[in-house]
Amino acid sequence: MTYYRTYENKEDVVIQFLKTRTDRLLKQFDEGNYQNRYEWYKEIFEEILEQKEITYKILKTPQLCAVALEHFNNFAKVLLPRVYKIEGDSTAMHNRIIYQTGGFVFLMSHWVLDGCRQSPEEMAHLLDGYIHNQ
């Protein structure tokens, strides 16, 4: 009964699940707990690995996957201007957000759907290289 009093549908559950994790990651980024972005990326992939079964189910359910994609896009709109220290709403920033969010989501999705065979360290290295064009 608590479930039905708290959430209207599965999409609300997924939004709360993702919001809890992304809020924590954003707080960690803002606090500057990492020597470099690689460490932060590694933390993201470790979190995904801890929740890989749930993430897999979200990715395999079209409605839930759409909700997750929208959440990640909104998260990127908050995060990336902080990462690049850009203020205002420019087309270039908007396009960068779309590009990097899509790249991350597809990289993460492929990793989870493929059974998380690479380590979080390997995935963080890949992401760091892609984002910094290495």
Side-chain angles (χ1 to χ4, degrees):
M1 293 302 288
T2 302
Y3 169 84
Y4 292 107
R5 277 185 259 150
T6 307
Y7 305 106
E8 288 187 32
N9 52 44
K10 291 177 188 176
E11 290 84 357
D12 289 345
V13 175
V14 169
I15 290 168
Q16 184 60 45
F17 170 78
L18 295 172
K19 184 173 180 350
T20 299
R21 274 129 192 95
T22 54
D23 284 353
R24 186 176 60 80
L25 289 168
L26 188 60
K27 182 179 177 192
Q28 289 172 333
F29 181 85
D30 286 343
E31 291 173 354
N33 292 337
Y34 301 99
Q35 297 296 323
N36 56 51
R37 291 204 185 116
Y38 165 83
E39 292 295 323
W40 191 66
Y41 300 152
K42 186 176 79 159
E43 178 76 22
I44 292 170
F45 282 104
E46 286 170 349
E47 174 75 23
I48 294 166
L49 184 60
E50 288 176 18
Q51 303 295 331
K52 74 177 183 179
E53 290 83 13
I54 294 168
T55 305
Y56 182 87
K57 289 177 183 177
I58 291 169
L59 292 171
K60 293 300 271 183
T61 308
Q63 273 183 296
L64 301 181
C65 189
V67 167
L69 184 58
E70 182 178 351
H71 177 79
F72 285 128
N73 190 45
N74 290 333
F75 176 62
K77 288 177 185 175
V78 172
L79 174 67
L80 291 178
R82 292 177 187 182
V83 169
Y84 297 108
K85 297 175 179 41
I86 296 173
E87 294 181 17
D89 186 26
S90 72
T91 301
M93 187 63 197
H94 179 73
N95 290 337
R96 185 175 210 156
I97 289 168
I98 292 169
Y99 175 77
Q100 288 191 348
T101 303
F104 168 75
V105 168
F106 281 101
L107 181 67
M108 177 274 300
S109 298
H110 177 72
W111 182 57
V112 170
L113 294 172
D114 197 37
C116 299
R117 290 195 250 175
Q118 297 88 355
S119 69
E121 292 82 4
E122 290 171 305
M123 295 306 294
H125 180 71
L126 281 172
L127 183 60
D128 193 43
Y130 293 147
I131 288 176
H132 297 99
N133 298 317
Q134 297 174 355

